[in-house]
């Protein structure tokens, strides 16, 4: 991939851009295999590669400059705007939308937030695209000062951006490097962006998490589903379930599936998806994954899917899994270092298969999914 912003030194976010793509994938595979070297019995499936450009379904644009000449992109070292609306990583619907949104900033007189001076209103524009090209747009504001003007000019935006389905304002009043705040104001009747993945409709709400690479996310869910179907559990938990990707893909054949997630919005989205798909055996609950497992509120399932943030599942949940009667675990990780740490805490749950998925081309980050199976009675591993 070539990028004139990278070559000019304006943006170095793609830290591996100067490496050939095949080398990037090979390096990620080697890095992951090194971390999982203590488990030589693992069978490695071929890595899942990505398109090198046009794969990001979400743009997180810092707004800078002026009302009449806004920049959408990042900040330079002194707090000035670097315009990246032509960034080649974004999917085509986002690249087409960003110039329209820049025009909307001017039309609605939305003053970009000046970080060094601590004045202005519009901090970020967050744009998400569905596989069908429909859009969710969120304006991250310092206060409600601009809200009335955004509402007034929203019909213009919908006319010039017909793919817009969900629009909202997020309030982030603090002067700190935080992408968004807790308060959300929805501006459209439609509340969710429909993300169709592997024939399933996943509903994405404004503050819900979804993988930024839709095609590779679809491959991740297919791999998880294949292992679940191979094992054939009667009961399954999906911990850190988000909008229900693994839970919904793992449903079927009378299987009872429960997804657990801290975000009430994500649980509402997942519940809607299960209802629309007619998956009566799938339900979702709001809660912390570790606290839920340790509570004993539900019978222990035969299989558990975990898809934690970069910090991993931690010692408490790993200890619970190790001591439980769970026979199989599907562990999806965005940080192989914490994955290896968690695996070491579960000696009787042995990793038997693994696959690297290049969710984040042009960087050193990647996703890895691992199938674990119980090879000895719970808790009988070495101390």
């Amino acid at each position: 991939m070539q990028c004139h912003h990278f070559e000019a030194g304006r943006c170095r976010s793609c830290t591996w851009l100067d490496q050939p793509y095949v080398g990037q994938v090979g390096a990620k595979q080697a890095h992951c295999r090194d971390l999982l070297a203590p488990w030589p019995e693992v069978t490695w499936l071929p890595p899942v590669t990505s398109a090198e450009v046009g794969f990001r379904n979400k743009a997180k644009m810092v707004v800078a400059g002026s009302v009449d000449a806004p920049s959408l992109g990042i900040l330079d070292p002194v707090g000035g705007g670097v315009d990246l609306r032509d960034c080649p990583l974004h999917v085509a619907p986002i690249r087409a939308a960003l110039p329209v949104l820049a025009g909307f900033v001017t039309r609605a007189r939305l003053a970009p937030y000046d970080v060094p001076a601590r004045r202005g209103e519009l901090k970020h524009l967050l744009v998400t695209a569905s596989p069908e090209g429909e859009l969710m747009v969120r304006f991250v504001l310092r206060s409600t000062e601009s809200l009335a003007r955004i509402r007034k000019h929203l019909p213009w935006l919908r006319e010039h951006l017909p793919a817009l389905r969900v629009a909202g304002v997020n309030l982030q009043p603090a002067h700190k490097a935080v992408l968004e705040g807790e308060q959300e104001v929805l501006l459209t009747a439609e509340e969710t962006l429909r993300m169709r993945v592997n024939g399933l409709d996943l509903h994405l709400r404004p503050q819900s998490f979804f993988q930024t690479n839709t095609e590779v996310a679809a491959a991740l869910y297919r791999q998880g589903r294949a292992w679940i179907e191979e094992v054939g559990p009667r009961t399954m938990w999906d911990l850190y379930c988000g909008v229900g990707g693994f839970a919904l893909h793992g449903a079927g054949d009378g299987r009872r599936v429960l997804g657990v997630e801290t975000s009430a919005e994500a649980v509402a989205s997942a519940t809607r998806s299960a209802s629309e798909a007619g998956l009566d055996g799938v339900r979702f609950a709001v809660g912390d994954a570790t606290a839920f497992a340790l509570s004993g509120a539900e019978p222990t399932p035969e299989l558990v899917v975990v898809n934690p943030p970069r910090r991993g599942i931690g010692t408490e949940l790993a200890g619970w899994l190790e001591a439980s009667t769970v026979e199989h675990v599907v562990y999806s990780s965005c940080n192989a270092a914490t994955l290896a740490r968690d695996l070491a805490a579960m000696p009787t749950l042995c990793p038997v298969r693994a696959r690297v998925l290049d969710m984040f081309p042009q960087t050193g980050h990647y996703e890895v999914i691992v199938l674990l199976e119980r090879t000895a009675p719970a808790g009988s591993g070495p101390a």
Side-chain angles (χ1 to χ4, degrees):
M1 183 185 97
Q2 287 189 318
C3 175
H4 64 98
H5 298 293
F6 183 87
E7 293 168 357
R10 289 187 294 270
C11 176
R12 290 281 173 162
S13 300
C14 294
T15 52
W16 283 20
L17 189 58
D18 55 355
Q19 300 183 34
Y21 183 63
V22 65
Q24 294 181 29
V25 176
K28 294 176 186 186
Q29 179 88 345
H31 179 261
C32 194
R33 293 187 71 143
D34 284 348
L35 287 170
L36 269 61
W39 297 275
E41 62 275 14
V42 174
T43 297
W44 289 88
L45 280 65
V48 173
T49 58
S50 169
E52 295 183 51
V53 298
F55 60 85
R56 279 192 66 93
N57 60 31
K58 186 170 185 177
K60 304 175 182 179
M61 312 302 280
V62 178
V63 184
S66 66
V67 169
D68 292 310
S71 67
L72 310 180
I74 60 174
L75 298 180
D76 64 22
V78 296
V82 178
D83 196 279
L84 300 176
R85 68 184 83 173
D86 62 344
C87 172
L89 298 187
H90 295 137
V91 294
I94 290 179
R95 292 199 303 273
L98 290 175
V100 178
L101 289 166
F104 183 79
V105 170
T106 301
R107 185 177 186 88
R109 312 308 292 172
L110 305 178
Y113 185 66
D114 186 325
V115 173
R118 300 193 178 195
R119 65 170 179 260
E121 286 296 319
L122 180 58
K123 294 184 171 184
H124 302 102
L125 271 172
L126 309 179
V127 188
T128 305
S130 75
E132 287 73 34
E134 296 183 331
L135 299 172
M136 176 190 294
V137 175
R138 300 168 65 212
F139 301 88
V140 181
L141 300 177
R142 184 187 189 188
S143 74
T144 58
E145 185 272 336
S146 306
L147 183 55
R149 294 197 303 281
I150 292 176
R151 290 187 188 277
K152 175 183 176 181
H153 293 284
L154 190 61
W156 180 92
L157 183 60
R158 302 201 77 157
E159 178 185 351
H160 290 80
L161 203 59
L164 180 63
R165 293 293 173 269
V166 183
V169 162
N170 178 273
L171 296 176
Q172 204 291 84
H175 180 79
K176 56 184 179 181
V178 175
L179 185 66
E180 59 187 270
E182 295 182 2
Q183 187 175 351
E184 195 84 20
V185 181
L186 198 63
L187 302 176
T188 53
E190 191 65 48
E191 298 180 354
T192 67
L193 184 67
R194 191 181 297 265
M195 306 290 287
R196 191 158 185 81
V197 179
N198 299 323
L200 282 168
D201 285 337
L202 306 180
H203 288 276
L204 188 61
R205 291 172 184 263
Q207 292 184 301
S208 298
F209 169 79
F210 190 80
Q211 298 280 8
T212 58
N213 190 325
T214 306
E215 290 300 318
V216 177
L220 177 70
Y221 292 137
R222 289 196 300 271
Q223 184 62 71
R225 179 170 60 191
W227 286 342
I228 292 165
E229 290 180 350
E230 175 187 334
V231 171
R234 292 167 297 176
T235 54
M236 165 184 151
W237 288 355
D238 179 7
L239 303 181
Y240 313 92
C241 71
V243 295
F246 282 110
L248 296 165
H249 279 80
D253 298 325
R255 185 171 300 126
R256 298 192 305 279
V257 180
L258 174 60
V260 179
E261 167 61 44
T262 57
S263 167
E265 278 205 345
V267 166
S269 296
T271 300
R272 177 177 174 182
S273 294
S275 176
E276 289 181 353
L279 299 175
D280 297 333
V282 183
R283 59 192 175 95
F284 297 91
V286 178
D288 173 78
T290 301
F292 175 82
L294 269 59
S295 73
E298 295 277 345
T300 301
E302 296 176 3
L303 181 145
V304 172
V305 177
V306 290
N307 185 20
R310 291 189 60 79
R311 65 178 181 272
I313 64 174
T315 55
E316 283 190 288
L317 183 53
W320 180 86
L321 285 166
E322 168 63 18
S324 75
T325 57
V326 172
E327 288 296 318
H328 291 88
V329 175
V330 175
Y331 193 138
S332 177
S333 170
C334 60
N335 184 351
T338 55
L339 165 66
R341 180 206 64 199
D342 291 337
L343 293 180
M346 301 183 288
T348 66
L349 283 164
C350 182
V352 292
R353 257 167 280 171
R355 190 168 206 177
V356 167
L357 300 98
D358 192 18
M359 193 77 72
F360 315 101
Q362 321 306 341
T363 76
H365 300 292
Y366 57 88
E367 194 88 10
V368 57
I369 187 169
V370 182
L371 174 65
L372 316 179
E373 69 177 18
R374 183 80 63 185
T375 56
S380 65

